[in-house]
Amino acid sequence: MEALAMQSRAVEVAGAGRRNGALVADRRARAGSLRVGGSAGAPALRARGAKPVAPLCCVKTSRGQQSLHNSVDEALLLKRKAEQVLFELNGRCIYLVGMMGSGKSTVGKILAEVLGYSYFDSDSLVEQAVGMPSVAQIFKVHSEAFFRDNESSVLRDLSSMQRLVVATGGGAVIRPVNWSYMKKGMSVMLDVPLDALAKRIAQVGTASRPLLDQPSADPYTAAFAKLSLLAEQRGDAYANADVRVSLQEIAAKQGHDDVSQLTPTDIAIEALEKIQNFVIEHSMSSGPFDDL
């Protein structure tokens, strides 16, 4: 696979304004684009960053103004934390790792938007590089090993760039060479309880997840069993991440009994807090690709 070349679009972040006595936080971001070289004789494919996530908005519920103010406070906290972290990051990429269904894509888009970074999904880049519409099809037509080879190539090329948030596939952690690429930036693990993951996956289906796509009368039980096995196999690999963001810990701090009560913004704020603490602790701000 030829090296990727990034054509980043400028990212614009609009400040919060005041209207009718209520603050409305509005952010707009456009992700950049990468050009993935095709194989000999084949045209190059353009892999575009995902569409920007919807602006963090304030929805008035039965709780009225309190809900409105809470939403605004959350958005402003995210913005302030991002401004603090940007200086410390000094352009380093952020790689999100974690089990399938852990929310890497959703949280990654929020982080990219608020940091003014470009967002990429490594699975999507592999799909476009090999000319297939899904990871499941790549597994079926070729093999998992073929997919992993291409995944490593994508991560290698991304590691030479700056100012990216990359959502990796759940199994990207199993190859040591991938860690050598991700360690050029910041790696952040999203740690979600297995029962919560199994519920999410059972609700949306497993067709897009080849390692879980098995016939079962009870999707939750099947997903939980397979996820438990994968977590055991990959536990040591996930431990290599620079930062661990535990949804159980966030929920406990906020007084929630269930991690499903957390918003993606809650998780993004915690991730930025952990990133900032790690960067300061390891004095990483002297250069974009210094060894830890």
Side-chain angles (χ1 to χ4, degrees):
M1 180 183 295
E2 300 176 5
L4 305 174
M6 181 174 72
Q7 300 176 343
S8 299
R9 292 191 179 94
V11 179
E12 177 183 345
V13 180
R18 215 176 265 281
R19 185 178 181 182
N20 296 328
L23 292 172
V24 179
D26 181 20
R27 293 170 176 79
R28 295 177 183 173
R30 289 184 296 172
S33 62
L34 292 177
R35 187 172 179 79
V36 183
S39 58
L45 300 171
R46 183 175 299 277
R48 297 191 179 276
K51 296 179 180 178
V53 293
L56 297 171
C57 58
C58 311
V59 180
K60 187 172 181 179
T61 66
S62 58
R63 295 186 179 183
Q65 287 298 109
Q66 185 62 45
S67 176
L68 179 68
H69 290 161
N70 287 345
S71 297
V72 171
D73 289 344
E74 184 181 69
L76 293 178
L77 177 59
L78 179 67
K79 182 176 184 290
R80 275 198 306 270
K81 183 57 61 178
E83 290 171 346
Q84 296 168 1
V85 172
L86 265 176
F87 175 77
E88 305 294 346
L89 276 175
N90 199 15
R92 291 174 181 82
C93 296
I94 296 173
Y95 298 89
L96 297 178
V97 302
M99 294 286 285
M100 60 186 79
S102 59
K104 299 184 294 291
S105 296
T106 301
V107 174
K109 292 171 186 175
I110 293 174
L111 291 175
E113 177 186 16
V114 76
L115 289 170
Y117 275 29
S118 294
Y119 167 80
F120 291 97
D121 181 294
S122 64
D123 283 355
S124 296
L125 292 178
V126 172
E127 291 165 359
Q128 295 191 44
V130 302
M132 290 190 172
S134 69
V135 173
Q137 186 173 357
I138 295 173
F139 271 54
K140 182 177 180 179
V141 174
H142 296 284
S143 65
E144 180 178 358
F146 175 84
F147 171 82
R148 298 297 173 199
D149 288 342
N150 281 274
E151 179 178 58
S152 294
S153 295
V154 163
L155 291 174
R156 177 197 65 208
D157 293 338
L158 289 171
S159 71
S160 68
M161 303 177 188
Q162 295 188 44
R163 299 179 64 84
L164 303 179
V165 175
V166 180
T168 67
V173 299
I174 63 178
R175 287 195 173 185
V177 68
N178 293 343
W179 283 108
S180 71
Y181 304 141
M182 292 189 287
K183 286 296 183 178
K184 293 181 179 180
M186 284 283 309
S187 53
V188 178
M189 178 196 174
L190 300 186
D191 187 3
V192 184
L194 293 181
D195 63 328
L197 287 177
K199 289 176 183 176
R200 292 181 186 178
I201 292 172
Q203 288 174 352
V204 301
T206 59
S208 63
R209 306 182 187 278
L211 294 180
L212 293 181
D213 193 21
Q214 301 174 2
S216 172
D218 184 354
Y220 169 81
T221 300
F224 185 85
K226 183 60 177 180
L227 288 169
S228 298
L229 178 61
L230 290 173
E232 182 178 354
Q233 294 171 343
R234 300 172 179 176
D236 291 342
Y238 284 131
N240 287 322
D242 297 317
V243 168
R244 172 178 168 269
V245 176
S246 167
L247 270 65
Q248 279 188 318
E249 292 178 4
I250 304 173
K253 285 193 295 185
Q254 296 191 6
H256 299 315
D257 296 327
D258 191 338
V259 298
S260 65
Q261 295 174 276
L262 298 175
T263 68
T265 302
D266 290 330
I267 302 166
I269 291 171
E270 181 75 5
L272 289 173
E273 179 73 29
K274 293 289 185 72
I275 289 171
Q276 183 182 30
N277 291 342
F278 180 87
V279 170
I280 293 174
E281 180 181 348
H282 290 79
S283 301
M284 293 173 61
S285 58
S286 58
F289 296 114
D290 294 281
D291 292 332
L292 298 181

